[in-house]
Amino acid sequence: MSAEQIPAQHQDRDPGRESEMTPRPDYEPRYPGSGRLKDKVAIITGGDSGIGRATAVLFAREGANVAIVYLDETSDAAETQAAVEREGGKALLIRGDVRSKDFCFEAVRRTVEKFGKLDILVNDAGHQEEDEDIRGISEEQLKKTFETNIFSYFYMTQAALDHLKEGASIINVTSVNSYKGNPALIDYSSTKGAITAFTRSMATNLADKKIRVNGVAPGPIWTPFIPMSFPPDKVKDFGKSSPLGRPGQPNEVAPSLLFLACEDASYMTGQVLHPNGGKIVGG
């Protein structure tokens, strides 16, 4: 998809809805499965749409059963569930707010109760609001962004560790903004920097347990975040500034998460992959 194919659009609902985007993001896996996650169980926060949906469907194609955690995007979650089941996987929908520690523990409990175990945790749920003046970031917005983007990663990891065994994988979705910053997404970029540090810290913390912790730092990806966060004129130009000159699709990010989830990445922990359209970033 080229940047020119995105028409001006905006969604007033938070979170945004993938079903209302034009054009629809491409989440379908692009190659046959090879059983790399056969009989594995994954839980994905924010799994109803965007990168989370593409990851859920790809994991299912590779043999996994998936618990999909979402806030209130019921139609998007149902579409993801149907796509997972078309791939031969089982899907469990879990609706609730990951800002609540109690809910995060309940989500993990329900996943293990349904599937009998937990092998992979993907922390992907996120929130962002555009504001070019730090003085315009309200206390409410600041709390919502941090509670969604980093507190929930702590809560989900705390809950999952009672069930993860040697060989398990935790994957945290951070952002290119963790590395380069973003003048209009100051609070969001700050949380993504925290996620990167959290990933590195947990990798060293869990190394002796042989549980790998890695991250993925996407660049401009066409997800419901974009029409929800930005005005129509910015949506229309979304992704044009990347070196490849276009936004990425969710199914161009999901393979990075698959790699980190499976045994192909058995000697990687504390690392971050960068599907960002060519932006060169430092460590």
Side-chain angles (χ1 to χ4, degrees):
M1 179 180 72
S2 67
E4 286 73 19
Q5 291 176 296
I6 300 178
Q9 58 195 282
H10 180 71
Q11 295 185 23
D12 291 324
R13 290 194 293 186
D14 176 15
R17 300 298 194 267
E18 187 158 323
S19 58
E20 298 176 9
M21 295 173 67
T22 304
R24 295 287 298 277
D26 192 352
Y27 64 84
E28 294 285 354
R30 296 186 293 182
Y31 46 84
S34 57
R36 283 186 282 177
L37 297 180
K38 181 175 171 55
D39 299 325
K40 299 294 186 181
V41 174
I43 184 168
I44 303 174
T45 67
D48 59 286
S49 63
I51 293 167
R53 171 187 284 179
T55 300
V57 178
L58 181 56
F59 279 15
R61 178 167 289 192
E62 292 290 345
N65 295 320
V66 186
I68 298 160
V69 178
Y70 67 103
L71 182 60
D72 59 10
E73 310 93 310
T74 304
S75 62
D76 280 354
E79 183 174 340
T80 304
Q81 180 182 29
V84 166
E85 291 173 348
R86 283 197 303 271
E87 297 293 342
K90 296 177 181 177
L92 172 66
L93 298 185
I94 305 176
R95 176 173 174 167
D97 193 338
V98 292
R99 292 182 293 170
S100 163
K101 180 176 180 178
D102 287 345
F103 168 73
C104 291
F105 274 76
E106 175 68 9
V108 170
R109 185 196 66 77
R110 288 179 57 188
T111 300
V112 175
E113 184 178 80
K114 171 71 173 179
F115 298 122
K117 62 174 183 171
L118 180 63
D119 303 293
I120 303 160
L121 168 64
V122 175
N123 287 310
D124 176 53
H127 173 76
Q128 71 176 26
E129 296 180 49
E130 184 184 40
D131 205 315
E132 295 186 354
D133 189 336
I134 192 172
R135 293 168 295 184
I137 300 174
S138 67
E139 183 178 0
E140 179 184 13
Q141 176 182 327
L142 193 64
K143 284 182 176 179
K144 184 174 184 179
T145 304
F146 272 80
E147 288 175 356
T148 304
N149 295 4
I150 183 62
F151 284 25
S152 72
Y153 285 38
F154 271 81
Y155 299 153
M156 290 298 301
T157 302
Q158 288 172 335
L161 282 178
D162 287 335
H163 307 280
L164 297 176
K165 295 179 170 53
E166 181 175 324
S169 176
I170 299 172
I171 305 166
N172 299 317
V173 178
T174 177
S175 168
V176 66
N177 293 310
S178 167
Y179 295 84
K180 70 178 187 62
N182 189 308
L185 297 170
I186 299 169
D187 52 339
Y188 172 81
S189 300
S190 299
T191 64
K192 292 301 179 175
I195 291 167
T196 300
F198 174 65
T199 299
R200 293 169 173 170
S201 298
M202 286 307 304
T204 56
N205 181 269
L206 296 177
D208 62 339
K209 295 180 172 62
K210 304 299 188 290
I211 296 173
R212 296 180 296 105
V213 186
N214 292 289
V216 176
I221 308 300
W222 183 232
T223 74
F225 250 18
I226 307 312
M228 182 274 293
S229 302
F230 299 117
D233 60 322
K234 285 195 174 182
V235 173
K236 180 171 60 69
D237 293 330
F238 178 68
K240 288 182 178 179
S241 63
S242 74
L244 291 182
R246 65 169 180 86
Q249 291 290 342
N251 66 356
E252 294 181 293
V253 179
S256 292
L257 283 92
L258 171 62
F259 170 69
L260 294 174
C262 75
E263 284 300 303
D264 291 352
S266 59
Y267 199 54
M268 291 186 67
T269 194
Q271 307 304 310
V272 179
L273 303 184
H274 297 274
N276 65 20
K279 181 70 176 180
I280 307 301
V281 296

